């Protein structure tokens, strides 16, 4: 079934093109594996960031939110790495056909062991797709979730980038290995995505975004409400991503 989905969607995905005004903020496909077509729905929406949670079982990385959700065919290779490589080559060495690119965030549930398994997997078959050091159009591979300490970032190859945390202090050397800095919105305040925020609440997010941008990094909030009001706030604050479970709906909203 997986190969059939690739065949159906492949030609359509090569022609994705967006108006310039829609590119000022990126779409982050939260828990992307829960889409009807994992990876492909986000790719069709020209997502700037695609997230997959993984568990390590017998040397294989399985995509699932919880360990009991693991299924034999839902591997990181099948759902993400293989279609990424196929489209990357078809695009002439770029994430998208227009020469732009995206990041794949792999949320590690088993810490260092799953990170080492991911490293081996990429080095064996997919290194060309994530070689951003030599190809700026390559896909950025970012690891998140069960984070390793910042002092060990440099222990891993340059194609592995790390997800930082708002409020933590990083050296300039450590920042070279960070692609994005993220935080749980609930660390700031609770919000249903509908009520009007106070000035103090908005200012707290604006300050966080300003501090991250001064470091030259992008900022992402998770647990952000998935509503037009929240999307508009993200644009207003010049955040780098809209966190969503419906990338197609957000793409339509951005294009308008």
């Amino acid at each position: 079934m997986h190969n059939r989905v690739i065949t159906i969607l492949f030609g359509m995905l090569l022609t994705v093109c967006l108006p310039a005004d829609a590119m000022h903020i990126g779409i982050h496909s939260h828990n992307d594996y829960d889409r009807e077509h994992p990876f492909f729905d986000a790719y069709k929406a020209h997502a700037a960031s695609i997230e997959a949670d993984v568990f390590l079982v017998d040397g294989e990385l399985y995509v699932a939110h919880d360990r009991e959700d693991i299924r034999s065919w839902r591997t990181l290779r099948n759902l993400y790495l293989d279609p990424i490589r196929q489209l990357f080559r078809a695009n002439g060495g770029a994430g998208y056909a227009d020469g732009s690119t995206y990041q794949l965030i792999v949320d590690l549930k088993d810490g260092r062991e799953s990170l080492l398994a991911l490293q081996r997997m990429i080095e064996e078959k997919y290194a060309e797709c994530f070689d951003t050091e030599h190809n700026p159009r390559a896909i950025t591979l970012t690891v998140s979730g069960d984070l390793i300490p910042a002092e060990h970032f440099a222990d891993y190859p340059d194609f592995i980038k790390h997800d930082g945390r708002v409020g933590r202090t990083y050296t300039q050397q450590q920042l070279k290995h960070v692609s994005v800095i993220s935080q749980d919105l609930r660390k700031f305040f609770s919000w249903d995505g509908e009520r009007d925020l106070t000035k103090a609440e908005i200012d707290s997010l604006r300050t966080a975004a300003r501090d991250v941008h001064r470091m030259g990094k992008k900022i992402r909030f998770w647990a952000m409400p998935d509503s037009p009001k929240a999307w508009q706030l993200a644009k207003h604050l010049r955040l780098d991503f809209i966190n969503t479970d419906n990338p197609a709906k957000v793409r339509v909203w951005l294009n308008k």
Side-chain angles (χ1 to χ4, degrees):
M1 183 176 70
H2 174 70
N3 289 335
R4 179 170 173 268
V5 170
I6 291 179
T7 301
I8 292 171
L9 296 177
F10 183 73
M12 177 175 60
L13 295 177
L14 291 178
T15 61
V16 172
C17 190
L18 298 174
D21 287 349
M23 299 298 289
H24 293 162
I25 187 169
I27 293 172
H28 173 75
S29 185
H30 172 251
N31 289 348
D32 181 78
Y33 45 88
D34 281 338
R35 305 291 90 79
E36 182 178 0
H37 303 117
F39 174 71
F40 289 107
D41 287 348
Y43 193 94
K44 184 180 177 183
H46 211 291
S49 181
I50 302 173
E51 173 192 343
D53 296 0
V54 298
F55 292 88
L56 180 64
V57 180
D58 296 331
E60 189 66 73
L61 292 172
Y62 290 89
V63 179
H65 191 269
D66 299 295
R67 194 170 289 274
E68 57 266 28
D69 297 329
I70 291 174
R71 298 294 181 269
S72 61
W73 60 275
R74 291 175 62 85
T75 66
L76 187 68
R77 296 177 191 268
N78 286 342
L79 296 188
Y80 292 92
L81 298 181
D82 285 343
I84 283 173
R85 182 177 60 183
Q86 188 174 7
L87 285 163
F88 178 82
R89 290 176 175 176
N91 292 337
Y96 287 109
D98 63 3
S100 62
T101 190
Y102 55 93
Q103 71 171 344
L104 175 67
I105 293 186
V106 180
D107 193 308
L108 306 171
K109 301 301 184 182
D110 297 300
R112 184 174 179 275
E113 292 306 311
S114 55
L115 177 54
L116 291 173
L118 176 64
Q119 177 184 335
R120 289 193 296 269
M121 197 175 296
I122 299 301
E123 289 174 338
E124 287 170 5
K125 294 186 67 176
Y126 309 98
E128 64 184 291
C129 305
F130 302 101
D131 185 10
T132 55
E133 299 300 314
H134 299 98
N135 178 7
R137 304 191 306 163
I139 294 94
T140 298
L141 178 65
T142 302
V143 293
S144 186
D146 193 356
L147 300 175
I148 65 170
E151 54 267 29
H152 292 294
F153 285 174
D155 296 347
Y156 298 89
D158 288 339
F159 67 79
I160 293 177
K161 304 302 181 186
H162 301 266
D163 185 9
R165 289 291 174 264
V166 172
R168 292 188 186 175
T169 301
Y170 298 97
T171 67
Q172 286 301 311
Q173 186 61 34
Q174 290 165 354
L175 283 173
K176 292 179 181 179
H177 301 276
V178 173
S179 61
V180 63
I181 294 181
S182 309
Q183 192 52 272
D184 186 340
L185 184 75
R186 294 166 296 190
K187 296 283 188 181
F188 294 83
F189 49 79
S190 177
W191 188 35
D192 61 3
E194 297 300 329
R195 71 172 176 86
D196 291 336
L197 296 179
T198 66
K199 182 179 183 300
E201 289 171 331
I202 293 174
D203 285 347
S204 67
L205 299 185
R206 181 178 286 113
T207 298
R210 179 199 64 203
D211 292 345
V212 170
H213 288 156
R214 283 177 175 172
M215 290 187 281
K217 300 300 175 183
K218 295 181 178 181
I219 187 167
R220 175 178 72 99
F221 290 108
W222 76 84
M224 192 95 166
D226 205 1
S227 69
K229 195 165 188 174
W231 306 341
Q232 186 59 50
L233 175 67
K235 284 193 69 177
H236 173 70
L237 294 177
R238 301 192 69 81
L239 303 183
D240 297 287
F241 302 101
I242 291 176
N243 195 77
T244 184
D245 292 322
N246 195 332
K249 188 174 181 180
V250 175
R251 176 52 61 204
V252 171
W253 181 83
L254 283 172
N255 287 353
K256 290 181 178 179

